[in-house]
Amino acid sequence: RQRAGAVQDASARDQALSNLAQLVDMRVVMSSDGTDSVISGGRLLVSGSRSGSHEDLPGTRLDLSASVEVNRANALRLLGDVDGAFSAYEGAARTFDALGSIYPASVARLNGGVALLESGDRASARREAQRALVLAPESTEAREVLARIGG
C-alpha cells in the first residue's frame, strides 16, 4: 500500500531516505563503566552515564530500540511505505507493551492507525486507534483520529 500524498519531491525524498538509513544503522553501546552511547554511521550521537535507578540494561536498550523503531516507521510513512511503517509501529508497540510503557505503546499504535487511514484502510485504522484509546483512555489524539474515521 502507498499513502496518498507520499513524498514526491526528490530532495525531500533523499532527506527521508538519509534519515531512514541513519536510523537503520543506529546502535546502542552500553559499556561496563556505566556509559551508554548511541552511534550511527560511525558517529557518536549521544553519550551519558547510567545512575542507580537506570541500570536496567535490557529494559533501557529495548526502550531505546523501540523509540528508534518509531522514528524508522515515521520515515517509512513519509516515504509512503504504509506496510513498512505499520509493521515498524506494531513492533515498537509490542516492545513498549512488554516493557509496561503504556503511553509510548498507545502513541505507536495510534501512529500506525494514522498510516493505515492515510492508505485508505479505514477499518484497520479504526482498530488501531481503538487499541490506542484502550491503552490511554485520556488520549485526545486517539479520539480525534476516531472522529476523523467516523467511529
Side-chain angles (χ1 to χ4, degrees), residues 71-90:
N71 287 323
R72 187 173 81 82
N74 291 338
L76 289 168
R77 182 174 154 215
L78 178 66
L79 292 170
D81 180 357
V82 172
D83 291 333
F86 179 73
S87 177
Y89 286 131
E90 178 69 17

Side-chain angles (χ1 to χ4, degrees), residues 69-123:
E69 193 68 0
V70 167
N71 287 323
R72 187 173 81 82
N74 291 338
L76 289 168
R77 182 174 154 215
L78 178 66
L79 292 170
D81 180 357
V82 172
D83 291 333
F86 179 73
S87 177
Y89 286 131
E90 178 69 17
R94 280 194 312 269
T95 301
F96 285 132
D97 283 343
L99 292 171
S101 299
I102 303 302
Y103 182 74
S106 75
V107 170
R109 293 209 181 278
L110 184 59
N111 286 344
V114 170
L116 291 165
L117 179 60
E118 290 171 349
S119 76
D121 187 349
R122 298 176 73 77

Side-chain angles (χ1 to χ4, degrees), residues 44-95:
L44 177 67
L45 300 179
V46 178
S47 183
S49 296
R50 288 188 302 276
S51 62
S53 64
H54 295 98
E55 293 193 14
D56 175 22
L57 301 184
T60 302
R61 185 176 296 138
L62 284 174
D63 187 58
L64 183 55
S65 173
S67 297
V68 167
E69 193 68 0
V70 167
N71 287 323
R72 187 173 81 82
N74 291 338
L76 289 168
R77 182 174 154 215
L78 178 66
L79 292 170
D81 180 357
V82 172
D83 291 333
F86 179 73
S87 177
Y89 286 131
E90 178 69 17
R94 280 194 312 269
T95 301

